[in-house]
Amino acid sequence: LEMTNRFHAQLTYLLTLSALGGILFFRFVVRSGVLELLCGVLLLALYVLPRLLPFSDGADAIWRSPAGQRVVQAYEALVYNTLWDLNEGLHWALLAVAALLLLRCYCRSRRRQALTRYAPPSAASCPSSPTPPQIVIKDE
């Protein structure tokens, strides 16, 4: 029972950190308001609400529900399976994914800078371009 509680606490901590990282990632790197909101709701559901409700068992009540049991089973199937053991390499896999996403964002910003640098200036953005003459017709 103590080992199960410790496992659930570690899983709650991992999901809480993932939600926090997702909020920061989707706010500053990818800029997706919907995904940032989903991460915020996940953080609220995992960390804040179980501590605010006076008669709940805290975060352990989440893992005893059917949805919580499915999350635990999916986590165990992903991390502890016969093909690979992500328990030891999970940190390296997360760092590699983060590095690839940052590299993608960097390449996109460089491509965007290159496109704007070599684009011909438009007449509206060039202050030295003469304004076309205006013809005013007055009725007498």
Side-chain angles (χ1 to χ4, degrees):
L1 185 64
E2 179 184 332
M3 196 164 164
T4 304
N5 288 339
R6 192 173 71 205
F7 176 73
H8 289 162
Q10 287 176 345
L11 191 56
T12 304
Y13 180 72
L14 175 73
L15 288 174
T16 303
L17 283 181
S18 298
L20 273 173
I23 289 171
L24 294 174
F25 182 77
F26 292 121
R27 166 66 61 102
F28 298 111
V29 179
V30 176
R31 294 189 181 147
S32 172
V34 173
L35 293 175
E36 180 186 352
L37 179 67
L38 286 175
C39 289
V41 168
L42 178 67
L43 179 67
L44 186 71
L46 283 175
Y47 190 74
V48 178
L49 286 180
R51 285 159 178 77
L52 289 179
L53 298 175
F55 299 111
S56 72
D57 293 335
D60 293 333
I62 296 171
W63 303 117
R64 282 189 233 120
S65 70
Q69 290 295 321
R70 285 193 297 266
V71 169
V72 169
Q73 288 172 357
Y75 176 79
E76 288 175 346
L78 178 69
V79 174
Y80 306 108
N81 59 41
T82 58
L83 297 176
W84 64 80
D85 185 13
L86 275 181
N87 191 32
E88 296 173 1
L90 186 61
H91 299 94
W92 295 111
L94 289 176
L95 283 175
V97 167
L100 287 174
L101 287 173
L102 287 174
L103 180 66
R104 178 178 172 237
C105 291
Y106 175 74
C107 290
R108 275 187 172 179
S109 68
R110 294 286 297 198
R111 187 177 329 129
R112 196 175 309 126
Q113 286 176 357
L115 287 176
T116 58
R117 184 178 305 144
Y118 298 114
S122 65
S125 66
C126 187
S128 64
S129 67
T131 58
Q134 297 178 355
I135 299 173
V136 178
I137 301 174
K138 294 184 179 180
D139 286 334
E140 290 188 45

